[in-house]
Amino acid sequence: MWGAFPVLKLGSHSIPQSYCSWLNITFTRLVGMLGSDWPGATLQEIKLEKEPLKKEKHPDLLPGEVVFCSANPILKYTQDDLSQRGVFGTLFCTNFRVTFISDEMSLEETARNFKNKLYREHDVTLTCVDHIYGVYDEKRKLITGGLVKNKYPSKMIIHCKDLQVFQFCLTYTKEEDAKKIFHGIAHHCLEEKSLKCLFAFSYEGTTSPDMQRKHDTIMFDSPEDWTKEMKRTKTKCRLVTENDNFDLSQKLPKYFVIPSVIEDLSCHQGKGLPIWCWSHHSGCALFKASFLPVAQEDGDFQKHLDTMINAVAHNYLYSVKTEDLTESLPTLQDIQQSYNKFKQFFLIDNATEFWLSDVKWFSSIESSGWLDIIRQCLQKAVEVVECLEKHNTNVLITEEEGTDLCCLISSLAQIMLDPYYRTLTGFQSLVQKEWVAGCHAFLDRCNHLNQKDKDCVWQLVQQQGPAFQFSETYLTVLSDSIHVPVFSTFLFNSAYHRESFMKVESPLAQSGPSVWDWSLQFDSKAQNFFLNPLYSEKVKQTVRKPHKPKHQRQLSLPSTAFKTPPKKGFFKDEADSLKKILRVKRISRWMGSPDSPVAATWEFYEAWQRRPLDYHSLLLPCLDGPAIHLWMQRYLRWIPEVHIMGGGSVAITTKLMELLAQVQDLKRVIDQKDSSQAAKLDTHTHLQPRPLSFGSSGHMSSFPFAYSRNRSFNPIIPTGLLQSIVLTDNLASQEDEVSQFVSLV
């Protein structure tokens, strides 16, 4: 009867303890309205005399965290149905988060193996708040800075960037406290503030000395890091260190790599410089560049453009293909609009809203265009890979600033081509190189492009799981960490922005730890969920080269006798002429009509599929419609209606079928290895086996994010809504028949 409320026994009756406090407040107000002479007693007077006073709970504050305001009692609603059940507790607003401390002890919260050290189940960081709505007279209104005055709503709804939804009822607390907590949360989450107000610059924590895994991520903030990467990929380009003090350009990194033939770096303040990304083993390479300033004269513009393209072509066989990503991919505005439309289907306030959206779920997801944008990005990355792998041609991708779509396509291409970037430390190093050191404007872009990057990588992980050392849980946590203002990794727009801010605003302070120090958020057991147990690790083989004795006559002569000095003559002149011819013919844009690259890419994909399976070589995604899936763990983990709660025989059978398929995959891998290699595979201790676990509540769709919401295990569909669903089922099934079939396949 009382739902989630704890119960207090009074004789033969049962009254919830938290509900008791609300009754007392309501009863007291009623007495005040009737007059002080009314002969009655408060609810406190009829409580048991021996009942101990309940201590007010407080959050465990981080070093440097300060409480701004609080209110009690606050009712936190669940999202199970329209009965608006929930739990009572205290709501706090600090300089780091909005946190709710329940009056009841959550046994599931304490028993969870996968929990964050920095924030709890009922917390949301200030930078993770997306929108706040207030309910006034049963009407929901979007809260902005101008609407926050003396009024406060009866209900506050918080939509988060990680797609959580929090609902708080303010009617049970004192008017002054309710007004203070509402205004405080709205102010600290919505009002414009200086960058120095973020919690990263108040955090006083230190890096844990006993890190479970060594921090091997390459940060690309020194010449040594870039030199190491250049040696690994055997590039022929040169490292630029002249921008160490940002004298060349404030929009360029401190250190970067360019073609070796470029000498003039002062032209146009770094605009249009081809920045090296990665080198193929054949010698060709991938470059990215921003657009040249449009205010130049046409002659100078074309001359500089030709110089840059020729410099890239000179890198290998005088061949280069250029691609303007702003012409072949959606604009940043289109991407933003598509994601905003897409995410609305996962910000669910109650079960009724979910069942209404479920009627046209597949067609609604498709109409947002988000999955199609992901497919287009993967398609463009495969085209880049084809030029590098099949045609051994240099590639130059361009856009206006060279720090958005260029970062995305370059990262995807490198993941497909280089197995090092499919390891955990390699992937983190790639993010540092292409996004952080590559001057992606994290602060201005609100990280939406970065979410899309994780979306695209997840498509590769779910299609080619054994090729990746990290799991989808790692990608989900990394996406969440973008909105945790403890780390400075994703706070700034560029290296210049970071250094100039630290010098002016807080010269003596630190800019916060790196997000790659996972020990600050998770213990060693939780970090095991970051690793993919099915990862097919490459076994190192010691190959002894056969000894080839030199010819006796060669041994009798100095080695310098066989080095022929370069000399000018007929053959050099002919070679120069041939290079000029090749340079003219092989410098081109993406060739053919808009439809031809798709057919060529499909042919390239089919040829790759016919090769023997090797997870440590080239990796290509399937771009068919049914192959592009919805990232369920990230987008559906907070919606209880899509979870299998308790499981039952169907849930257990489904999980066993998944495990059986994984065991068969492992068996095929082991069968391809000899007995000695199989023994080495069994001795890997850093990949600890993960036991099958459904969590204490059996949330299978969002594992390991199995959070308790005090919900009923039985899905509840309101009667009126159920009738409307039945009436419209025929029309909905006709509209979504194809989409449902595609999703199930």
Side-chain angles (χ1 to χ4, degrees):
M1 174 180 177
W2 295 105
F5 295 116
V7 174
L8 173 67
K9 294 292 185 178
L10 292 178
S12 60
H13 301 283
S14 298
I15 302 178
Q17 292 178 356
S18 298
Y19 199 67
C20 218
S21 60
W22 170 76
L23 285 175
N24 181 44
I25 295 173
T26 306
F27 191 78
T28 303
R29 290 177 178 175
L30 181 61
V31 171
M33 294 172 59
L34 294 175
S36 58
D37 296 333
W38 185 76
T42 65
L43 191 61
Q44 295 288 346
E45 296 178 4
I46 64 174
K47 283 186 177 182
L48 295 178
E49 295 181 358
K50 296 183 180 181
E51 180 186 358
L53 295 176
K54 184 179 297 184
K55 295 182 179 180
E56 185 178 355
K57 297 183 179 180
H58 296 277
D60 295 328
L61 300 179
L62 298 177
E65 187 177 7
V66 179
V67 175
F68 289 145
C69 52
S70 64
N72 178 276
I74 296 291
L75 177 63
K76 182 179 182 293
Y77 288 125
T78 61
Q79 299 170 344
D80 54 354
D81 52 49
L82 291 180
S83 64
Q84 299 295 291
R85 290 177 290 182
V87 292
F88 278 95
T90 306
L91 186 62
F92 297 86
C93 179
T94 75
N95 57 339
F96 169 58
R97 56 185 162 166
V98 175
T99 178
F100 177 81
I101 306 296
S102 173
D103 290 341
E104 296 87 27
M105 175 64 67
S106 176
L107 298 179
E108 186 166 346
E109 171 73 15
T110 58
R112 281 171 44 218
N113 292 325
F114 190 78
K115 55 183 179 181
N116 200 300
K117 297 179 182 179
L118 299 179
Y119 55 92
R120 302 165 50 257
E121 172 187 353
H122 301 290
D123 296 356
V124 53
T125 63
L126 301 183
T127 53
C128 190
V129 174
D130 197 7
H131 294 99
I132 297 179
Y133 296 89
V135 177
Y136 299 88
D137 300 328
E138 299 184 356
K139 294 182 179 179
R140 194 176 78 168
K141 295 182 180 180
L142 178 65
I143 302 300
T144 60
L147 290 180
V148 181
K149 297 180 180 179
N150 294 327
K151 294 183 179 180
Y152 70 95
S154 60
K155 181 179 178 181
M156 178 173 56
I157 304 174
I158 300 178
H159 284 186
C160 306
K161 294 176 183 177
D162 64 354
L163 306 182
Q164 286 194 85
V165 177
F166 293 95
Q167 303 182 64
F168 301 103
C169 180
L170 307 180
T171 57
Y172 303 125
T173 188
K174 296 180 181 179
E175 181 177 352
E176 181 180 352
D177 292 341
K179 187 183 300 183
K180 183 183 298 184
I181 192 68
F182 171 69
H183 289 173
I185 292 176
H187 172 76
H188 293 289
C189 294
L190 303 179
E191 295 289 343
E192 294 185 5
K193 59 179 69 69
S194 172
L195 182 61
K196 64 181 179 181
C197 295
L198 293 181
F199 182 66
F201 305 103
S202 301
Y203 180 64
E204 300 173 355
T206 57
T207 303
S208 176
D210 54 343
M211 293 179 58
Q212 175 69 12
R213 297 178 180 88
K214 187 178 179 181
H215 185 50
D216 293 329
T217 303
I218 302 176
M219 305 303 289
F220 292 97
D221 55 0
S222 67
E224 292 75 20
D225 288 348
W226 285 100
T227 302
K228 182 179 179 180
E229 179 68 5
M230 293 171 67
K231 289 181 178 179
R232 189 186 72 85
T233 58
K234 300 178 181 179
T235 182
K236 300 177 182 178
C237 300
R238 76 178 181 94
L239 176 64
V240 176
T241 59
E242 290 86 341
N243 201 38
D244 186 33
N245 295 321
F246 303 101
D247 296 330
L248 292 176
S249 174
Q250 297 177 359
K251 294 185 178 181
L252 286 175
K254 294 183 64 174
Y255 312 103
F256 54 94
V257 181
I258 61 173
S260 56
V261 298
I262 297 180
E263 297 180 356
D264 184 13
L265 299 177
S266 60
C267 185
H268 313 304
Q269 294 184 343
K271 280 281 189 176
L273 276 178
I275 308 296
W276 172 82
C277 300
W278 183 82
S279 289
H280 191 264
H281 59 79
S282 65
C284 58
L286 172 62
F287 297 84
K288 61 183 178 182
S290 59
F291 289 156
L292 293 169
V294 296
Q296 306 178 72
E297 296 181 1
D298 293 340
D300 294 339
F301 179 89
Q302 190 62 41
K303 180 181 178 181
H304 182 74
L305 180 61
D306 292 342
T307 302
M308 295 299 103
I309 294 179
N310 289 335
V312 175
H314 191 276
N315 179 73
Y316 179 74
L317 291 181
Y318 288 89
S319 62
V320 61
K321 287 188 177 181
T322 65
E323 174 71 351
D324 181 3
L325 298 180
T326 59
E327 294 182 358
S328 55
L329 291 177
T331 64
L332 299 181
Q333 291 76 14
D334 292 339
I335 294 174
Q336 182 68 65
Q337 292 177 3
S338 177
Y339 181 75
N340 287 339
K341 187 177 181 180
F342 172 78
K343 71 179 181 180
Q344 295 304 318
F345 302 113
F346 309 99
L347 294 168
I348 305 298
D349 290 349
N350 52 63
T352 303
E353 185 178 344
F354 170 80
W355 291 114
L356 284 173
S357 64
D358 186 62
V359 176
K360 297 183 178 180
W361 172 260
F362 295 108
S363 59
S364 300
I365 295 296
E366 183 180 1
S367 65
S368 70
W370 181 248
L371 295 181
D372 186 61
I373 289 178
I374 294 174
R375 186 193 60 79
Q376 292 180 55
C377 294
L378 291 170
Q379 168 80 32
K380 185 56 62 179
V382 171
E383 293 176 14
V384 172
V385 170
E386 182 181 6
C387 290
L388 295 167
E389 175 76 13
K390 181 179 179 180
H391 303 295
N392 298 138
T393 303
N394 296 298
V395 177
L396 175 63
I397 53 178
T398 61
E399 63 172 329
E400 184 174 355
E401 295 294 335
T403 57
D404 291 310
L405 295 173
C406 282
C407 296
L408 173 63
I409 301 304
S410 172
S411 299
L412 292 175
Q414 292 176 67
I415 291 174
M416 296 177 191
L417 287 163
D418 196 336
Y420 167 69
Y421 292 129
R422 300 197 284 267
T423 64
L424 192 143
T425 56
F427 180 76
Q428 294 178 169
S429 301
L430 178 65
V431 174
Q432 280 289 144
K433 181 180 72 169
E434 294 297 327
W435 295 86
V436 181
C439 300
H440 176 66
F442 285 104
L443 193 63
D444 292 344
R445 296 289 183 261
C446 299
N447 308 306
H448 290 308
L449 283 179
N450 197 55
Q451 291 173 356
K452 180 164 65 62
D453 175 48
K454 302 301 178 298
D455 254 303
C456 294
V457 174
W458 180 85
Q459 298 293 334
L460 293 171
V461 171
Q462 66 95 16
Q463 289 188 23
Q464 305 288 346
F468 292 86
Q469 187 188 33
F470 51 86
S471 64
E472 71 163 342
T473 300
Y474 167 78
L475 294 177
T476 302
V477 170
L478 180 56
S479 296
D480 292 342
S481 300
I482 294 172
H483 307 298
V484 180
V486 169
F487 312 104
S488 62
T489 307
F490 306 122
L491 284 185
F492 301 96
N493 288 331
S494 64
Y496 172 77
H497 183 209
R498 177 190 294 269
E499 290 205 1
S500 61
F501 174 82
M502 295 306 298
K503 288 180 180 179
V504 175
E505 299 293 344
S506 51
L508 299 179
Q510 299 294 326
S511 60
S514 171
V515 72
W516 311 125
D517 185 0
W518 294 112
S519 63
L520 293 177
Q521 295 193 70
F522 301 96
D523 57 25
S524 58
K525 292 183 179 180
Q527 290 182 57
N528 285 331
F529 289 101
F530 293 174
L531 297 175
N532 177 15
L534 297 181
Y535 173 57
S536 177
E537 186 169 0
K538 189 174 183 178
V539 179
K540 295 182 179 180
Q541 297 181 350
T542 303
V543 180
R544 301 183 64 180
K545 297 182 178 179
H547 176 67
K548 294 183 179 180
K550 296 183 179 180
H551 196 274
Q552 281 300 117
R553 183 168 299 186
Q554 181 179 345
L555 292 175
S556 63
L557 297 174
S559 59
T560 55
F562 293 95
K563 291 185 179 180
T564 305
K567 53 185 178 180
K568 299 180 180 180
F570 172 77
F571 291 106
K572 184 178 185 302
D573 294 339
E574 289 298 314
D576 289 341
S577 300
L578 179 60
K579 288 178 180 179
K580 292 180 180 179
I581 295 174
L582 290 174
R583 181 172 58 191
V584 172
K585 289 188 176 181
R586 300 192 68 183
I587 295 178
S588 62
R589 295 175 59 84
W590 244 246
M591 301 171 62
S593 62
D595 296 333
S596 61
V598 178
T601 302
W602 177 252
E603 181 181 351
F604 178 58
Y605 175 78
E606 286 188 325
W608 171 77
Q609 274 195 319
R610 290 192 292 268
R611 298 181 186 178
L613 182 62
D614 185 4
Y615 289 118
H616 298 279
S617 62
L618 177 66
L619 185 71
L620 296 180
C622 181
L623 300 176
D624 288 344
I628 306 299
H629 292 179
L630 178 69
W631 188 355
M632 292 186 63
Q633 186 191 69
R634 170 163 171 74
Y635 295 118
L636 298 176
R637 53 184 163 154
W638 312 124
I639 304 178
E641 285 74 21
V642 300
H643 296 177
I644 303 176
M645 309 184 73
S649 59
V650 176
I652 295 176
T653 302
T654 303
K655 195 65 181 180
L656 289 177
M657 291 176 63
E658 290 182 5
L659 291 175
L660 178 61
Q662 294 174 0
V663 170
Q664 292 174 346
D665 290 340
L666 281 174
K667 187 176 183 300
R668 281 194 294 268
V669 173
I670 295 176
D671 290 343
Q672 294 176 0
K673 303 177 182 292
D674 56 28
S675 58
S676 61
Q677 292 174 340
K680 291 181 180 180
L681 187 65
D682 293 334
T683 59
H684 293 165
T685 58
H686 65 283
L687 290 178
Q688 301 182 15
R690 217 162 51 197
L692 176 62
S693 174
F694 300 101
S696 57
S697 62
H699 297 242
M700 293 179 57
S701 300
S702 61
F703 183 81
F705 300 94
Y707 291 164
S708 172
R709 298 292 185 188
N710 296 314
R711 302 180 178 100
S712 170
F713 282 90
N714 299 319
I716 302 174
I717 307 178
T719 306
L721 176 60
L722 180 61
Q723 294 176 352
S724 65
I725 291 177
V726 173
L727 292 176
T728 59
D729 182 62
N730 293 333
L731 294 176
S733 61
Q734 293 176 9
E735 180 177 346
D736 281 351
E737 184 177 3
V738 177
S739 299
Q740 291 178 9
F741 175 77
V742 167
S743 178
L744 290 174
V745 171

